[in-house]
Amino acid sequence: MLGRAVVGRYYGAEVTVVEADGRPSRFTWNGRVYGIRRIIDHWVTLRGGWTPASGSQVPEHRHWRVEAGSACAQGVYELRHDTATGGWLLSRVWG
């Protein structure tokens, strides 16, 4: 794969995530359950439009890049957790 860039697909689809010790352990997308085998990366960004005057809690997006799979599919997935709403999105898929 020398010289070829690997590009993921963007989704922005809502997913249901089960957490263990503050980390995602599995998620459900399109009716399939994906078990997380390995956390590859984790980072935090601020939600756009937030200012200190808007409230005391800093609204964050917590991003998790994970290796996961189901009975039918496996790959690398990027999950995004919105700490203000508690919602999860499947941001990107490589696989």
Side-chain angles (χ1 to χ4, degrees):
M1 208 183 263
L2 208 77
R4 293 176 59 190
V6 177
V7 178
R9 286 186 69 180
Y10 289 98
Y11 282 92
E14 290 185 17
V15 291
T16 303
V17 175
V18 175
E19 296 178 61
D21 298 323
R23 298 172 171 212
S25 60
R26 68 179 179 267
F27 64 95
T28 304
W29 175 43
N30 286 340
R32 291 189 185 143
V33 177
Y34 294 78
I36 294 175
R37 298 181 177 125
R38 177 171 69 107
I39 294 175
I40 298 169
D41 201 1
H42 172 249
W43 66 97
V44 178
T45 60
L46 292 179
R47 284 183 60 190
W50 180 83
T51 64
S54 347
S56 59
Q57 181 185 8
V58 178
E60 300 173 331
H61 285 155
R62 296 184 178 267
H63 304 265
W64 300 87
R65 185 166 298 149
V66 300
E67 181 181 313
S70 71
C72 301
Q74 61 183 4
V76 174
Y77 302 85
E78 187 177 306
L79 303 170
R80 187 183 83 193
H81 181 233
D82 186 326
T83 60
T85 65
W88 285 87
L89 290 178
L90 175 63
S91 301
R92 201 167 179 186
V93 176
W94 296 265

